[in-house]
Amino acid sequence: MRRYILILFTFITSVSFAQIHEAGIFVGGSNYIGDIGRTNYVFPNKFAGGIIYKYNLNPRIAIRGNYTVLPLSGNDNESDNLFREQRNFSFNNTLHEFAAGLEFNFFEYNVRSLGHTFTPYILAQVAAFNYKVPESVVGGNVQFTNEFSFAVPLGIGVKGRISDHLAFAFEAAVRLTIKDDIDYTTDKITSLDFGGNGNDFYTFAGFSLVYTFGRPACYADNE
């Protein structure tokens, strides 16, 4: 019995001491994948950015939250699809996204250790975002309203150590949504009811810089 208590105490202590915080910014580009414009999956064409926070549970897993502003646009003139070129639709929208989830490191990684200075990682999150949707037409002008929806960000990246308190990362992630109106298509307005071939997606690809702080992790090699 004492052995199990000791093992449990050791596990709890290691987790509680292995808590290190990271906070910073990330900048890059966003693009939309849907019924208007290009069909490229990763083709950043709008400047996007936000803030990020991570809580490292251990050298492999971090809880992560981020807020991102993602301008999105589409223009049929830029498509290599003949039907879209002839249709000649375009739109601009801006998403405000809050996301939370996990980062899984391929290698054991600690920014305060010289033993593992970089690692690839995968990202899985759940996100809520706010965006504009058309509501009605008044005097020939489309009236918009704000709406919330959900997305599932999935991504890959690589991060590395700059110093004892600084780290960087390059990342690309796609957001899977349950909406088909990010590009303003709607059956509420006849002129905007051009159908669609599935839900809209959006992506972000960019660079982040974070500062680490808090109690040093017990798994650090060099304190």
Side-chain angles (χ1 to χ4, degrees):
M1 185 67 177
R2 291 181 180 178
R3 179 187 302 175
Y4 295 118
I5 294 175
L6 179 60
I7 292 173
L8 179 61
F9 177 78
T10 302
F11 173 77
I12 294 174
T13 303
S14 64
V15 171
S16 62
F17 276 83
Q19 296 171 356
I20 191 168
H21 307 273
E22 300 179 43
I25 61 171
F26 56 94
V27 294
S30 58
N31 74 283
Y32 145 90
I33 308 161
D35 303 314
I36 295 177
R38 299 178 185 271
T39 56
N40 306 75
Y41 282 97
V42 180
F43 195 93
N45 57 10
K46 289 289 185 179
F47 179 79
I51 55 177
I52 186 171
Y53 167 77
K54 301 180 188 180
Y55 182 92
N56 291 284
L57 295 176
N58 56 51
R60 292 276 190 169
I61 301 174
I63 299 173
R64 166 174 160 173
N66 46 265
Y67 164 70
T68 317
V69 179
L70 297 141
L72 301 177
S73 68
N75 192 323
D76 282 341
N77 285 331
E78 299 173 348
S79 174
D80 56 5
N81 181 292
L82 181 60
F83 170 76
R84 294 192 180 190
E85 289 181 359
Q86 294 175 340
R87 185 180 58 181
N88 195 28
F89 285 171
S90 65
F91 83 97
N92 288 280
N93 208 339
T94 299
L95 276 62
H96 296 265
E97 178 195 82
F98 293 89
L102 298 176
E103 277 188 14
F104 300 90
N105 299 329
F106 281 69
F107 308 133
E108 289 193 355
Y109 170 79
N110 175 20
V111 72
R112 296 189 178 182
S113 170
L114 297 177
H116 301 91
T117 58
F118 78 97
T119 181
Y121 64 90
I122 58 176
L123 170 69
Q125 293 181 298
V126 176
F129 64 90
N130 176 267
Y131 67 116
K132 292 189 304 182
V133 294
E135 184 177 41
S136 61
V137 176
V138 178
N141 296 317
V142 177
Q143 304 297 307
F144 292 90
T145 186
N146 288 319
E147 187 170 308
F148 282 92
S149 188
F150 299 94
V152 179
L154 300 172
I156 58 173
V158 59
K159 56 186 175 183
R161 177 185 189 274
I162 298 175
S163 69
D164 286 348
H165 292 282
L166 288 177
F168 71 92
F170 292 97
E171 178 181 294
V174 61
R175 273 72 166 171
L176 312 179
T177 80
I178 57 173
K179 290 292 186 175
D180 190 31
D181 57 1
I182 292 176
D183 51 18
Y184 300 150
T185 179
T186 176
D187 57 8
K188 296 179 181 179
I189 302 172
T190 302
S191 60
L192 296 179
D193 187 11
F194 54 86
N197 54 12
N199 294 332
D200 298 328
F201 302 92
Y202 58 100
T203 70
F204 171 84
F207 168 85
S208 67
L209 182 68
V210 298
Y211 177 80
T212 68
F213 60 96
R215 190 168 192 169
C218 67
Y219 48 80
D221 295 327
N222 298 294
E223 295 294 323

